[in-house]
Amino acid sequence: MTDLPWVEKYRPKSLAELADQEEARKEMVAWANAWASGKIPEPRALLLHGPPGTGKTTAAYALANDYGWDVVELNASDERTARVIGKVLRGAGVAKSLDMILKRLQEGGARVKGVERMGGERVLVLLDEVDGMDPRMDRGGVTAIVRAVKKTRNPVILTANDPWTLPRSLREAVREVRFRPLRIRDIVEVLRMICEQEDVEYEDKALTLIARRARGDLRAAINDLEAIARSTGKVTVDAVMDLGWRDKEISVFEALGKVFHKDPREARKATWNLDQEPDEFLLWLAQNIPIAYKYPDEIEKAFDYVSRADIYVARAPETGVWRFKYVYAPDVATTGVASAKREKPGRIRFRAPEVLRKLGATKRERRLRRRIAEKLGRVMHVSTRRALQDILPVIETAFSKFAEEGDEERLDLLAGIVAYADLSKEEVSFLCGDPVVAKRIYERAEEMKEKDLELRREMIKGALETAVHEAGGGLIGAETVEKEKGETVETVEEEEEEGEEEETEEVSESEEEEETGGGGGKQRTLDDFFG
């Protein structure tokens, strides 16, 4: 057996070898033929989407191999790549050679995931995992991709597991090609071929069991096959059972599909491996019930079950019985909505809840407002909730009005508020709405804080000098204090010039005095203390 992983060793080199994706294959060939003939197709980029392990990335490389195109692959979910993705794609769109594109990538600081040289006239730019781009870390990245794919002079392929998480502007700028989960029999055929090529004994039932537990993910099935074959030398049912069942997380769209297309017993399992809170899944159900069901009585019954589940969710924190939220609510919602349908609906184009879209759009604003309210509440000795409701609206109005007028006296007033509450640059900019004015206010606030600190230090210094004077019963005058200060400074300078060994001994003696409460050492002056 070779050390090369079987997933790589048996990766299809041509679209003709791709398992069970006939419709996707036809669309990709038609698009590639247009490029090969010298005509630029519209849209100019493909979006291959479908569950993991269905062959999206493999199909892109196989297509390039069929047409003799060079390939450069980028990972869009990587933050550093995402920051320069617009520049990279624009460069790829006009560059005529792979070397030129790689140079632009290097200059932009993007991470190259893979390069394959075919010596062809075209370069295929493969942008993997575009649905993994984080909007918080990649502001404007999606917009840059949309602009680039509309002007590119080289073929571009994007891949995504879940296209519905992508902005509509991006989906409208590309040609979507769907990759379906592979059928069990197609996966079994691939597994059998690998076993025969690797001279591995196998049981047909074992291959079927591996295919079933992979749930349409060919890559997972091949990895499981290799793990068993390398450890036992043959693939048996017992060996597959010893490997354990694959706990694979499912997407919210898979869960919705089970609820609306399966019977109540199967629908109950829809959320078992769903990485999403029950209350959020209820929003998805409520959004898509009117889309999936067409009869009023179906819709009424389905919403009735969702409302009951919502009551269970609300009861959980009130009673402390969290089974209400994580067991009873999902069971009632999934089985209830599934039982409400008269007939199995056709293909459903699921939509994300509008409330989640709105909350996502205002997430940063809500986070900033709460952070400012927490700081205001802390310095004004009120709760964050009270600060949000009563204090922050007044502060926002003041900043909006005074910042617009630009009066110096009022800007000083705003700077005083910023310094008092210790607000950050981002928070000041949010309150002002004008970054230029915000910068002026923030800089004034920093100056105020520095002056305030100096004033406090002088006050403390004066108070301590007064205390020293009074402790001496008035016998220690100002001249005596100054004299002692000068002598102490000279003493300190002499001590610093002594050797390392002597310094260590003095530190030890000082530590002993502290432990025993002794005070034989010379006292440092206040100037030294504040120096």
Side-chain angles (χ1 to χ4, degrees):
M1 297 182 182
T2 179
D3 290 333
L4 191 67
W6 289 357
V7 170
E8 297 298 327
K9 184 178 180 180
Y10 294 100
R11 184 186 294 273
K13 299 297 188 294
S14 171
L15 282 179
E17 301 173 7
L18 204 64
D20 189 32
Q21 299 292 353
E22 188 60 33
E23 293 182 9
R25 186 188 299 117
K26 290 180 180 179
E27 290 188 66
M28 293 181 69
V29 169
W31 176 78
N33 283 339
W35 281 105
S37 64
K39 299 178 182 178
I40 297 180
E42 293 295 344
R44 305 185 182 194
L46 292 184
L47 172 62
L48 312 184
H49 64 85
T54 51
K56 301 183 294 294
T57 304
T58 297
Y61 276 97
L63 178 74
N65 190 51
D66 287 341
Y67 287 83
W69 295 344
D70 294 332
V71 182
V72 57
E73 180 182 354
L74 307 172
N75 190 333
S77 63
D78 178 80
E79 178 190 342
R80 194 169 82 174
T81 302
R83 287 200 303 266
V84 297
I85 201 66
K87 178 180 178 181
V88 168
L89 278 185
R90 286 194 297 271
V94 298
K96 296 182 179 180
S97 68
L98 179 61
D99 290 332
M100 189 180 296
I101 291 177
L102 292 176
K103 182 180 179 181
R104 290 180 179 271
L105 289 170
Q106 186 177 7
E107 292 173 352
R111 297 181 188 272
V112 178
K113 191 176 180 181
V115 176
E116 188 166 316
R117 295 181 181 271
M118 300 289 185
E121 297 180 356
R122 295 250 179 223
V123 179
L124 173 64
V125 179
L126 175 57
L127 192 58
D128 200 21
E129 300 176 359
V130 290
D131 53 341
M133 295 176 68
D134 189 346
R136 296 170 298 178
M137 304 299 296
D138 178 48
R139 298 174 183 175
V142 174
T143 303
I145 294 176
V146 172
R147 291 175 180 172
V149 298
K150 288 181 177 180
K151 299 179 180 179
T152 180
R153 295 265 173 194
N154 276 314
V156 176
I157 292 182
L158 298 78
T159 71
N161 294 330
D162 186 356
W164 301 108
T165 61
L166 300 175
R168 180 182 296 178
S169 59
L170 179 56
R171 286 188 279 116
E172 291 177 348
V174 299
R175 180 175 179 178
E176 294 188 32
V177 179
R178 182 186 179 191
F179 278 65
R180 301 177 180 277
L182 299 178
R183 295 173 296 188
I184 292 176
R185 67 171 181 239
D186 295 306
I187 295 178
V188 170
E189 288 180 6
V190 175
L191 299 181
R192 184 179 291 112
M193 179 272 294
I194 293 175
C195 286
E196 292 173 354
Q197 290 288 331
E198 296 291 330
D199 197 21
V200 174
E201 294 183 26
Y202 64 91
E203 296 176 359
D204 286 329
K205 290 184 178 180
L207 299 185
T208 302
L209 185 57
I210 292 174
R212 286 184 181 279
R213 68 196 297 276
R215 300 176 61 188
D217 189 335
L218 179 59
R219 181 170 57 243
I222 296 175
N223 285 334
D224 286 349
L225 177 71
E226 183 176 11
I228 296 170
R230 289 188 182 277
S231 60
T232 64
K234 57 182 178 180
V235 182
T236 64
V237 172
D238 291 340
V240 176
M241 297 302 293
D242 290 341
L243 192 62
W245 190 258
R246 180 179 299 279
D247 291 327
K248 179 183 175 184
E249 289 184 358
I250 62 174
S251 70
V252 66
F253 295 100
E254 291 179 82
L256 291 172
K258 284 187 176 182
V259 171
F260 289 112
H261 289 103
K262 302 291 184 180
D263 60 74
R265 180 175 296 181
E266 287 296 317
R268 182 172 175 266
K269 304 176 184 178
T271 60
W272 284 7
N273 288 324
L274 180 63
D275 185 19
Q276 193 172 64
E277 287 293 303
D279 47 350
E280 188 173 332
F281 185 64
L282 294 182
L283 296 175
W284 281 87
L285 285 175
Q287 181 72 34
N288 290 282
I289 285 172
I291 300 173
Y293 295 162
K294 59 182 179 180
Y295 298 109
D297 59 325
E298 289 179 312
I299 297 174
E300 179 186 2
K301 187 176 179 180
F303 271 115
D304 182 55
Y305 280 109
V306 171
S307 65
R308 294 185 191 183
D310 193 45
I311 293 175
Y312 284 131
V313 170
R315 290 286 292 165
E318 295 176 0
T319 61
V321 182
W322 292 99
R323 289 181 63 85
F324 278 119
K325 179 176 180 178
Y326 292 101
V327 179
Y328 304 147
D331 284 357
V332 168
T334 53
T335 57
V337 173
S339 65
K341 60 175 173 280
R342 292 189 194 176
E343 55 189 33
K344 183 177 178 180
R347 183 180 177 182
I348 307 172
R349 193 179 182 89
F350 295 118
R351 296 178 184 173
E354 291 298 325
V355 64
L356 293 183
R357 293 182 183 274
K358 293 177 180 178
L359 288 175
T362 61
K363 184 176 181 180
R364 176 180 174 274
E365 178 182 339
R366 288 183 287 111
R367 176 178 57 81
L368 281 172
R369 294 187 82 254
R370 181 168 185 84
R371 202 164 68 189
I372 296 170
E374 288 174 352
K375 292 183 177 181
L376 291 172
R378 187 163 53 246
V379 297
M380 300 184 74
H381 308 291
V382 298
S383 66
T384 302
R385 183 178 180 183
R386 178 73 179 275
L388 271 171
Q389 292 178 345
D390 300 335
I391 300 174
L392 184 56
V394 178
I395 298 294
E396 288 178 315
T397 302
F399 268 83
S400 176
K401 183 177 181 181
F402 291 176
E404 184 177 347
E405 293 175 356
D407 181 79
E408 294 297 323
E409 184 177 348
R410 292 179 175 179
L411 290 183
D412 284 338
L413 175 62
L414 298 182
I417 296 175
V418 171
Y420 182 61
D422 195 23
L423 301 182
S424 67
K425 286 183 181 180
E426 185 182 20
E427 292 160 353
V428 177
S429 181
F430 169 75
L431 289 172
C432 289
D434 186 337
V436 177
V437 178
K439 183 179 179 181
R440 290 171 57 193
I441 293 174
Y442 182 78
E443 289 175 350
R444 293 189 185 194
E446 290 297 301
E447 293 174 1
M448 288 181 177
K449 286 193 285 186
E450 186 63 31
K451 290 180 180 179
D452 182 63
L453 180 61
E454 288 295 328
L455 180 61
R456 288 174 183 269
R457 290 175 56 167
E458 290 298 325
M459 291 175 62
I460 295 172
K461 180 179 177 181
L464 288 175
E465 287 182 344
T466 301
V468 170
H469 179 76
E470 292 177 352
L475 298 177
I476 305 177
E479 295 179 0
T480 307
V481 172
E482 290 297 325
K483 182 178 179 181
E484 288 182 357
K485 285 164 60 178
E487 291 175 353
T488 308
V489 170
E490 292 177 1
T491 305
V492 171
E493 290 176 351
E494 291 174 1
E495 290 175 353
E496 289 177 347
E497 293 174 357
E498 294 184 5
E500 181 179 353
E501 182 178 349
E502 194 174 46
E503 183 181 353
T504 305
E505 292 176 357
E506 289 178 2
V507 172
S508 301
E509 291 175 2
S510 177
E511 290 176 351
E512 287 180 8
E513 288 178 1
E514 289 180 2
E515 291 176 358
T516 58
K522 290 188 177 181
Q523 181 178 331
R524 289 180 177 270
T525 66
L526 295 178
D527 286 338
D528 291 329
F529 177 79
F530 285 101

